[in-house]
Each structure stands twice: as structure tokens, then as C-alpha cells.
């Protein structure tokens, strides 16, 4: 049985190597006369940025010079660095993504699914998944997630709901899951993988928030440990690499890795940033050797914070007993380094708290939602940040708890519209822009989402409901950032009078 912390099992000394970073440093130290791109020629064209953050950054900004290998057809230091990362994560293969997990998700959909292949997935997926459905032409079978109405967050769907979807769609090619959700909530991935594989379905996962699972046995199982076939995970979010950098990992024989590589090549820049790549090399080494103790330190801080926050009037924080509160919903655990703090007791929205923490207390949390804020403890968190967060939360409680005690109770519920046309068909269909009221009952041709967390409220192919419009208006009014294709007060819907394909379209849930 694989352990999700290879490091705990005495790391392989080979993991001390950082092949790409070492080659990059040797290249910079050799002071070449650069007649290649980029044009700043290793920092010889100073700008305000280089003057402010150090020219060294620019010296290391190389673009595939001789000896630094090639991200598309690696045979040297990139190949070696990717192999070390694969081994560190107990995967068979690894690709470095310089377009985050977004790029990884697009890659895996294009690689694993063909036009009209069915994929079973929870509806609370990130926007990149909706785009991946459009690009691949795959047909989604959405499973409604468990909605925690009290916190106003969506967890995973129950195992039973996933199994039912698999039984009802035996020809589905793949199952897609989130491990964990943005809020750190995990489902029983191992069981779902087993059920999917029994039915000959691939398992693909989004681990944008799960890279730390690979480096500690104190955290839930990683996708590779749970037996998934392919995953994309953001090393940058909680394992120390630079923003934008992720790993695509695969294992087993169900995956055609050559096709994964081809798809990756189609979606990735031909000018990958060498600093980003070397940050993956360096973070992998650090996490292999020190991940267990670093994550243990994070857990100690997070547990201390939980205890203290729980005592602050008006605040509540989700703990390890969360799965018991969500019995039979499929929630089996949480990533304790993520603090989901309910602020309802302050009579404030999470958005308000998010802003006030930043403006008044100089504390930046990950996000504010309707009822909660999310604070993430990571490898770089220390006692001074812990103290500042606690002081700020105490200050907020002092200012608002008594005053707002009798204020409205904040009610909010998620509801997802039904998809009746595959997103790729709706994306291509003729469209028109109409007012919110006129859009109700029409089929959306655009993705509308509140950011963060980036889970779409409406996607192309879904029927726009009064509920969905209510949610869009709510987010616009209450401070959530609403991202959409057209004007803030309009929705792009399919123009059915010009929809020549209408008769041929396979209407989801209405066809054979
Ligand atoms: C659940 C989820 N999936 C995927 C992504 C995309 O990850 P990245 O920012 O690494 O592209 C995010 C980003 O926040 C996310 O929250």
C-alpha cells in the first residue's frame, strides 16, 4: 500500500537533486552573451520591476537555452526533474504545468475524453472544468453536491450519489472528483475510485488544494494514494512553489500518457518561465525532506487557532468532527490546515469580514463567502501571523458581536440549474443578450460565476432559473465579484429562433 508521505518512509537520497534548478544556476553563473529571447538579456535592461524586486529575478528568467531541456519533449534536466516529482508523489508520470491546475484540468479532459464522451462529476466544480468540457466536447453528468446550508458551502456529493450516477450512465468514460474542495473537505475517494474502476471508468481529480496531502501522513489521502488515474495539483497553493505552478500526475495502464503529453503540448506556452519550473524542482525537494515536519507545524498552529477562535464570541470554526455533523453526506474528513470560520454570529457577511480584516487589521485571508471566511495555514505561517489573525478576529468580535446580535440572520442557499444542452453545444450556439428577467427559462450561453471560489452559478447549456438570477443579483449587491461574458445586467442566452441545430441536438435528460 502506498503511503502518501514517501518522506516519512525515509526519502530516497536522489530526491536531494534539483536537476532543473541546478542547470539554471550553472547557466546564469556562466554569464553567457545572450542572443536569444527574452529581450531583457538576463537583466541587462533594467525596468522599475527589476529595480524594485532585484535584478537577480531577471537573470534567472531564461527561455529554454541550450542545456535547459524542453518542456514538450524533455530528454535532459526537465525529464529528470519531472521523474523525481513523479516518484515523490508515487505516480508513474509527471508533467510540470506553468498554467496552474487550470492548465492541468484542461489537459486531462482533452487527453482522456473525446467528443460526446460522458463524464460524471459534481456540479460545484471550478470554472476550469466547465472550460475543459467545452474544449473537449465531453458531456457532463452532473451530480448534486451536499450543500451545507448553515455554512453556505458545497461539499462533495455522497458516494451513493456517485454510484447511482455510474449505474445510470454505464457508458460514461470517466468520473471526475475534487480532492479536497476549496474549503478542505474530502470525500471517500478510495471507495469512489474502486466503484469507478469496477465499471471500467477512468478517475480524474482536481487537487488544486491538495498538494500537501502528498507530503504528510497526517492529512487525508492523495488522489494517487486513493488509486485515481490522473490528477492535477497546485504545488503553488500549499507546497511552496511559485504561483502558477502545478503538477499533472498519472498512474496505471488506463491512461494513455503519450496522449496526455500531446494534449499538454497543445495547451501550454512555448515560452515556459524557467523560474517557475525551477520553483517546482525546489519545492518538491523541500517537501520530500521537510514536508512532514512543516505540515506538522502547520497543524499545531491550525489546532491552536481553532481552539482560540472557538472562544471568540460570534465566531465558530469547523473542526475534525465535521464529518459527524454531515453524516451520510459523503464527507469523511477535512484538511485541518484550512480554517473555515463562520462569521454569521457577528451579523456580517464573510465578504465584509474579508475586507475589514485586510483594511483595518492588515490580515489577508483566502476568501470571504456569504457566511464564512477561509484562512489557510501554510509552510510559511509562523507565530506572528497567528497572533495578528487572532487579535483581528477578537477586534471584529468586540466591534460587532453585541451591536449586531439582533441583526438579521443571514440565509443563503445554493441551487444548481439543470443542464439540458452539453456546454460545448451551447457555447457554439447563436446567442443574444437579454435582461435578467427575460433570461429566466432560457438556455444560458455563458458562464457566470462568483469569484472566489470560482464555482459557476450558471454554465452554458443550463436553464436560467429565477433562483440563479437571484443568486447573481445577491452576489452583485453584497460584494462578491461576479464574472460574466456580457454586461452586468444582462445574460447571454441561446437565440432559439436562429438555433438551426435544435432538432439534431441531444438534449440531456431528454434524449435516448
Ligand atoms: C477547486 C479548484 N480547482 C482548480 C483551480 C485552478 O487552480 P490554479 O489556480 O492552480 O490554476 C482552483 C483555483 O483556485 C480551484 O479552487
Amino acid at each position: 500500500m502506498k503511503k502518501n508521505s514517501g518522506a516519512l518512509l525515509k526519502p530516497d537520497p536522489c530526491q536531494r537533486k534539483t536537476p532543473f534548478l541546478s542547470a539554471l544556476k550553472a547557466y546564469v553563473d556562466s554569464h553567457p552573451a545572450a542572443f536569444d529571447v527574452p529581450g531583457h538579456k538576463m537583466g541587462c535592461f533594467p525596468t522599475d520591476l527589476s529595480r524594485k524586486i532585484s535584478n537577480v529575478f531577471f537573470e534567472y528568467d531564461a527561455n529554454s537555452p541550450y542545456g535547459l531541456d524542453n518542456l514538450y519533449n524533455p530528454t535532459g534536466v526537465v525529464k529528470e526533474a519531472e521523474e523525481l516529482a513523479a516518484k515523490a508523489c508515487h505516480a508513474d508520470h509527471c508533467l510540470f504545468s506553468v498554467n496552474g491546475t487550470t492548465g492541468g484540468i484542461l489537459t486531462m479532459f482533452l487527453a482522456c475524453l473525446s467528443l460526446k464522451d460522458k463524464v460524471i462529476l459534481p456540479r460545484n466544480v471550478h470554472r476550469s472544468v466547465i472550460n475543459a468540457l467545452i474544449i473537449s466536447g465531453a458531456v457532463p453528468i452532473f451530480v448534486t453536491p451536499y450543500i451545507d446550508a448553515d455554512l453556505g458551502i458545497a461539499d462533495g456529493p455522497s458516494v451513493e450519489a456517485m454510484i447511482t450516477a455510474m449505474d445510470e450512465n454505464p457508458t460514461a468514460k470517466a468520473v471526475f472528483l475534487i480532492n479536497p474542495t476549496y474549503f478542505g473537505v474530502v470525500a471517500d475517494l478510495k471507495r469512489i475510485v474502486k466503484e469507478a474502476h469496477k465499471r471500467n471508468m477512468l478517475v480524474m481529480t482536481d487537487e488544486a488544494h491538495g498538494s500537501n496531502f502528498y507530503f504528510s501522513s497526517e492529512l487525508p489521502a492523495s488522489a494517487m494514494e486513493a488509486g485515481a488515474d490522473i490528477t492535477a495539483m497546485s504545488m503553488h497553493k500549499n507546497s511552496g512553489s511559485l504561483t502558477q505552478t502545478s503538477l499533472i500526475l498519472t498512474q496505471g495502464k488506463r491512461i494513455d500518457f503519450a496522449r496526455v503529453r500531446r494534449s499538454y503540448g497543445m495547451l501550454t506556452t512555448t515560452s515556459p518561465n524557467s523560474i517557475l519550473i525551477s520553483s517546482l524542482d525546489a519545492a518538491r525537494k523541500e517537501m520530500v525532506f521537510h514536508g512532514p515536519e512543516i505540515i506538522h507545524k502547520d497543524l499545531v498552529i491550525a489546532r491552536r487557532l481553532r481552539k482560540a477562535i472557538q472562544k471568540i464570541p460570534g465566531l465558530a470554526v469547523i473542526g475534525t468532527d465535521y464529518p459527524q455533523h454531515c453524516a451520510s453526506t459523503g464527507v469523511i474528513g477535512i484538511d485541518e490546515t484550512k480554517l473555515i470560520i463562520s462569521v454569521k454570529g457577528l451579523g456580517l457577511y464573510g465578504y465584509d469580514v474579508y475586507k475589514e480584516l485586510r483594511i483595518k487589521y492588515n490580515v489577508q485571508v483566502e476568501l470571504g463567502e456569504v457566511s464564512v471566511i477561509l484562512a489557510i495555514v501554510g509552510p510559511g505561517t509562523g507565530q506572528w501571523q497567528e497572533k495578528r489573525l487572532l487579535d483581528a478576529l477578537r477586534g471584529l468580535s468586540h466591534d460587532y458581536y453585541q451591536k449586531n446580535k439582533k441583526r438579521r440572520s443571514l440565509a443563503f442557499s445554493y441551487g444548481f440549474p439543470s443542464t439540458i444542452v452539453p456546454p460545448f453545444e451551447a457555447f457554439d450556439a447563436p446567442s443574444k443578450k437579454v435582461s435578467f428577467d427575460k433570461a429566466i427559462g432560457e438556455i444560458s450561453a455563458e458562464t457566470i460565476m462568483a469569484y472566489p471560489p470560482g464555482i459557476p452559478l450558471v454554465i452554458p447549456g443550463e436553464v436560467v432559473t429565477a433562483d440563479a438570477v437571484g443568486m447573481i443579483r445577491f452576489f452583485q449587491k453584497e460584494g462578491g465579484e461576479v464574472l460574466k461574458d456580457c454586461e452586468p445586467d444582462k445574460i447571454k442566452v441561446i437565440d432559439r429562433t436562429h438555433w438551426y441545430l435544435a432538432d439534431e441536438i441531444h438534449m440531456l435528460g431528454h434524449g435516448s
Side-chain angles (χ1 to χ4, degrees):
M1 185 66 200
K2 287 173 186 173
K3 189 63 237 136
N4 67 340
S5 173
L8 282 184
L9 310 171
K10 210 167 191 324
D12 180 347
C14 285
Q15 293 284 338
R16 292 218 178 276
K17 291 192 190 165
T18 49
F20 187 86
L21 174 59
S22 305
L24 178 61
K25 181 165 187 319
Y27 175 70
V28 173
D29 289 349
S30 73
H31 297 297
F35 281 92
D36 61 351
V37 292
H40 61 68
K41 307 292 181 190
M42 304 179 78
C44 295
F45 177 58
T47 63
D48 274 0
L49 182 65
S50 62
R51 283 186 279 265
K52 276 208 167 68
I53 69 165
S54 159
N55 210 37
V56 175
F57 184 85
F58 282 79
E59 285 173 38
Y60 276 77
D61 180 34
N63 178 2
S64 308
Y66 177 75
L68 277 188
D69 209 1
N70 185 320
L71 214 52
Y72 305 93
N73 184 29
T75 54
V77 286
V78 170
K79 180 169 186 281
E80 207 187 333
E82 287 182 334
E83 283 172 359
L84 285 167
K87 279 201 184 113
C89 299
H90 305 287
D92 293 339
H93 298 284
C94 169
L95 293 172
F96 286 169
S97 170
V98 289
N99 185 21
T101 290
T102 297
I105 286 170
L106 295 173
T107 298
M108 76 171 79
F109 271 69
L110 195 59
C112 299
L113 299 167
S114 301
L115 187 65
K116 297 192 180 165
D117 276 348
K118 283 187 191 167
V119 53
I120 298 168
L121 70 173
R123 175 57 180 76
N124 55 326
V125 285
H126 184 255
R127 61 184 290 192
S128 55
V129 179
I130 307 304
N131 294 334
L133 286 167
I134 293 169
I135 286 173
S136 66
V139 174
I141 308 295
F142 283 122
V143 182
T144 307
Y146 166 65
I147 307 293
D148 185 324
D150 181 45
L151 297 174
I153 63 172
D155 298 329
S158 70
V159 175
E160 287 67 32
M162 290 302 291
I163 292 175
T164 303
M166 291 183 222
D167 287 342
E168 287 175 358
N169 296 278
T171 57
K173 180 95 183 284
V175 167
F176 177 89
L177 289 150
I178 313 164
N179 186 57
T181 66
Y182 204 141
F183 294 95
V185 176
V186 292
D188 192 346
L189 189 54
K190 281 185 192 169
R191 239 186 99 200
I192 297 173
V193 169
K194 217 165 138 197
E195 294 293 337
H197 284 169
K198 242 179 14 197
R199 293 164 177 79
N200 214 14
M201 297 174 190
L202 283 174
V203 179
M204 317 191 292
T205 55
D206 169 355
E207 291 193 300
H209 300 279
S211 68
N212 48 346
F213 292 6
Y214 287 86
F215 304 107
S216 167
S217 58
E218 293 186 83
L219 294 174
S222 69
M224 289 292 106
E225 187 187 354
D229 302 289
I230 183 165
T231 193
M233 57 90 137
S234 301
M235 282 292 281
H236 69 95
K237 288 200 199 286
N238 37 26
S239 295
S241 64
L242 288 176
T243 295
Q244 230 173 290
T245 55
S246 291
L247 301 180
I248 301 168
L249 303 168
T250 71
Q251 68 181 349
K253 293 196 170 32
R254 292 182 186 84
I255 293 289
D256 176 355
F257 185 69
R259 188 171 155 144
V260 178
R261 189 183 283 293
R262 221 168 48 238
S263 306
Y264 165 84
M266 287 165 68
L267 296 165
T268 304
T269 171
T270 48
S271 306
N273 184 306
S274 51
I275 302 174
L276 295 183
I277 301 173
S278 50
S279 84
L280 279 170
D281 217 10
R284 180 267 310 152
K285 173 185 166 186
E286 204 60 32
M287 290 307 278
V288 165
F289 286 97
H290 303 295
E293 81 215 46
I294 290 167
I295 291 167
H296 184 73
K297 178 270 300 172
D298 293 345
L299 288 168
V300 169
I301 292 177
R303 286 170 189 152
R304 220 166 33 219
L305 275 167
R306 262 196 184 83
K307 254 192 184 159
I309 294 168
Q310 205 62 35
K311 290 186 190 141
I312 301 177
L315 298 178
V317 59
I318 302 323
T320 47
D321 56 349
Y322 186 60
Q324 281 104 66
H325 290 293
C326 314
S328 77
T329 59
V331 173
I332 64 160
I334 59 162
D335 172 352
E336 284 184 74
T337 63
K338 297 211 163 77
L339 299 163
I340 309 173
I341 304 168
S342 169
V343 297
K344 283 185 357 175
L346 299 181
L348 297 173
Y349 287 125
Y351 308 117
D352 307 328
V353 173
Y354 173 90
K355 279 186 216 144
E356 188 147 342
L357 281 171
R358 177 73 189 92
I359 293 164
K360 186 165 175 196
Y361 297 97
N362 203 10
V363 169
Q364 178 62 51
V365 291
E366 173 65 12
L367 63 81
E369 279 257 3
V370 178
S371 307
V372 298
I373 56 166
L374 176 68
I376 303 179
V377 176
T381 311
Q383 287 187 359
W384 72 267
Q385 294 107 320
E386 179 184 353
K387 181 174 177 326
R388 190 176 296 174
L389 175 63
L390 270 183
D391 288 347
L393 293 174
R394 287 185 182 122
L396 279 168
S397 171
H398 174 267
D399 290 349
Y400 293 102
Y401 177 60
Q402 288 301 338
K403 195 169 84 188
N404 286 349
K405 222 172 173 181
K406 293 207 183 72
R407 226 174 100 172
R408 68 190 187 279
S409 72
L410 308 172
F412 181 78
S413 67
Y414 267 106
F416 294 116
S418 38
T419 317
I420 64 163
V421 176
F424 78 93
E425 302 265 25
F427 180 77
D428 270 345
S431 62
K432 58 183 181 185
K433 297 172 191 176
V434 297
S435 69
F436 282 5
D437 290 335
K438 286 206 171 121
I440 295 170
E442 299 290 336
I443 304 167
S444 176
E446 69 167 319
T447 303
I448 304 174
M449 81 194 75
Y451 209 89
I455 297 165
L457 302 169
V458 180
I459 67 168
E462 281 180 344
V463 179
V464 180
T465 59
D467 262 8
V469 165
M471 280 162 63
I472 298 164
R473 285 196 169 117
F474 172 87
F475 282 114
Q476 284 179 331
K477 179 163 168 272
E478 300 295 347
E481 190 185 353
V482 175
L483 306 183
K484 53 199 302 306
D485 291 350
C486 64
E487 295 88 327
D489 59 342
K490 295 213 161 62
I491 296 183
K492 204 161 96 178
V493 297
I494 292 182
D495 181 353
R496 287 201 257 172
T497 51
H498 294 102
W499 196 21
Y500 304 118
L501 285 174
D503 292 343
E504 299 164 25
I505 289 276
H506 169 83
M507 303 289 263
L508 293 172
H510 298 271
S512 52

